Amino acid sequence: MAEQWLRQFKLTIQLQKGAPEALDLSQFKIYFRIGQATRDTPQAAEIYIYNLSDDTMNKLAGNDSENKDTIITLEFGYKGSPLETIFKGQVFQFRRGRDNPTDKWLCVLAQAGEHLKNYGVINQSIPAGTTIDDAGKVLNKEMEKYDVVTGEVPQLSDQQYPRGRVFFGSLYNHMEQFYTENDIVFDISDGMFTANTIFGHLDKAEIIINRDTGMVGMPQLTTEGLEVTCLLNPKLKRGVRINVDMKNMQTESYDIAYEQQEKDQVFKNPNKATNTDGIFIIQSVEMVGDTRGTECYSNLVCTALNATVPKSGVSIKAVD
């Protein structure tokens, strides 16, 4: 993405659950914040749409903001490049308010995989002799019934179960248990399920992050990983490798509180928490944008390839 200028947005919201009609709201002022708190939580979005008429608000949210589970899609791109989906999920709440006497807004709170996480159920059994990889495929096939498609997933073991196994109850809970058993972390964002090994990465091209490709400020090494801010780029997703310009990396001070010395120093030591090539794996992505303002950023938390990684923090299991 050589020329990151003349931003383009497209926001559509389904009018009723299961209905084909959707409203295109791309011409309004929109402010959004999209992110994921941990590896284990689906992508969530908070989107503000400004100065809609009361009729339009009621059409989207219902007279008493009772509409739920409708599909919302936000796409983004720059002039000369195609629009790419940066969020697709289900609405779970509408809020109404205003910033001042003249500017009112409709806030949409949505989550990717909402139907899967809250309503997904499974009632399947697999016979003895089924491989672990085939068991994963059974779960993934059930998942696709809830508006989540399967993306890149690693090949699992061909070891066979000596006895049959029953999947019954919450589909999401069974997925968490199954993939944890096999040292796999998964991600649900943009309406897509992807997975990779705990210290692995997606099989996608490495993305260079420097001042010529949109880096904003300087990379900051923290206990949780390397924090990097750049111009919003839809290709920056969890599990993707990036090559960061480390010339101006900022290191963090060690904790000088009583009895805290040396407890977190290894994760702030640039010789152990980074590598000479500056290659990192994205663990957390937050996207912030304003269609009529200056904000349009991707905020990343990354861990270095083949380096010491934090045992807690947003890149592992949310904040302590």
Side-chain angles (χ1 to χ4, degrees):
M1 191 174 291
E3 296 182 346
Q4 294 171 298
W5 66 296
L6 293 181
R7 306 184 305 238
Q8 302 178 81
F9 296 86
K10 183 177 181 180
L11 176 67
T12 55
I13 302 179
Q14 188 181 32
L15 292 179
Q16 295 291 333
K17 179 182 177 180
E21 296 84 6
L23 206 57
D24 187 338
L25 303 163
S26 308
Q27 299 306 312
F28 291 88
K29 170 182 166 62
I30 298 166
Y31 175 84
F32 63 87
R33 184 177 294 274
I34 302 168
Q36 288 171 293
T38 73
R39 275 180 166 175
D40 300 338
T41 57
Q43 187 183 41
E46 184 177 14
I47 301 172
Y48 291 82
I49 311 163
Y50 281 82
N51 298 325
L52 296 172
S53 68
D54 290 338
D55 287 343
T56 303
M57 284 191 183
N58 291 336
K59 185 180 293 187
L60 289 170
N63 293 330
D64 194 28
S65 298
E66 72 276 7
N67 277 3
K68 290 173 59 179
D69 298 330
T70 52
I71 303 295
I72 180 170
T73 305
L74 179 60
E75 299 171 89
F76 173 80
Y78 294 96
K79 182 181 179 181
S81 63
L83 293 174
E84 295 185 54
T85 300
I86 59 174
F87 180 81
K88 182 178 181 181
Q90 293 80 36
V91 176
F92 64 84
Q93 185 186 8
F94 287 99
R95 295 175 52 229
R96 307 182 197 219
R98 59 176 66 244
D99 287 346
N100 51 56
T102 57
D103 293 319
K104 61 182 180 180
W105 44 256
L106 178 69
C107 176
V108 186
L109 300 176
Q111 180 176 281
E114 170 79 1
H115 292 168
L116 169 64
K117 187 167 176 56
N118 294 332
Y119 309 114
V121 293
I122 185 172
N123 182 11
Q124 294 282 350
S125 61
I126 56 176
T130 302
T131 66
I132 292 176
D133 189 66
D134 286 338
K137 292 176 181 177
V138 169
L139 290 172
N140 295 347
K141 186 175 180 180
E142 290 293 310
M143 173 193 65
E144 293 181 353
K145 297 177 181 179
Y146 297 94
D147 301 318
V148 177
V149 299
T150 302
E152 184 178 326
V153 178
Q155 178 78 27
L156 301 182
S157 170
D158 59 0
Q159 179 181 353
Q160 297 179 341
Y161 286 105
R163 292 179 294 276
R165 181 168 181 174
V166 175
F167 295 119
F168 178 79
S170 168
L171 174 56
Y172 191 83
N173 288 347
H174 277 292
M175 290 175 61
E176 282 190 312
Q177 179 182 351
F178 175 81
Y179 283 105
T180 300
E181 290 172 355
N182 292 282
D183 293 328
I184 298 292
V185 293
F186 65 84
D187 174 67
I188 298 175
S189 57
D190 310 335
M192 180 175 291
F193 171 90
T194 57
N196 55 67
T197 58
I198 291 178
F199 300 111
H201 53 78
L202 297 179
D203 187 20
K204 295 184 181 296
E206 183 181 291
I207 298 175
I208 296 175
I209 304 292
N210 56 36
R211 66 178 185 177
D212 295 325
T213 61
M215 179 185 287
V216 177
M218 304 178 191
Q220 173 71 60
L221 185 63
T222 72
T223 302
E224 297 180 356
L226 187 75
E227 296 182 356
V228 184
T229 298
C230 62
L231 296 181
L232 200 155
N233 184 341
K235 298 187 184 303
L236 295 173
K237 301 181 183 294
R238 292 180 65 178
V240 169
R241 290 170 300 161
I242 60 173
N243 192 323
V244 182
D245 183 354
M246 304 294 289
K247 294 178 183 176
N248 296 313
M249 184 189 72
Q250 310 295 296
T251 57
E252 189 176 7
S253 63
Y254 295 152
D255 195 334
I256 61 172
Y258 181 64
E259 293 187 343
Q260 296 300 311
Q261 295 92 336
E262 298 185 2
K263 289 189 176 181
D264 62 355
Q265 291 184 11
V266 65
F267 309 123
K268 298 177 181 178
N269 184 328
N271 294 324
K272 295 181 179 179
T274 64
N275 58 60
T276 56
D277 296 324
I279 301 175
F280 290 80
I281 301 171
I282 299 174
Q283 302 291 358
S284 174
V285 183
E286 179 189 58
M287 291 173 280
V288 181
D290 186 337
T291 61
R292 304 288 175 84
T294 57
E295 281 192 282
C296 190
Y297 304 124
S298 291
N299 301 314
L300 315 175
V301 178
C302 316
T303 52
L305 188 68
N306 300 324
T308 302
V309 298
K311 300 302 180 186
S312 64
V314 68
S315 63
I316 302 299
K317 196 73 175 172
V319 293
D320 291 337

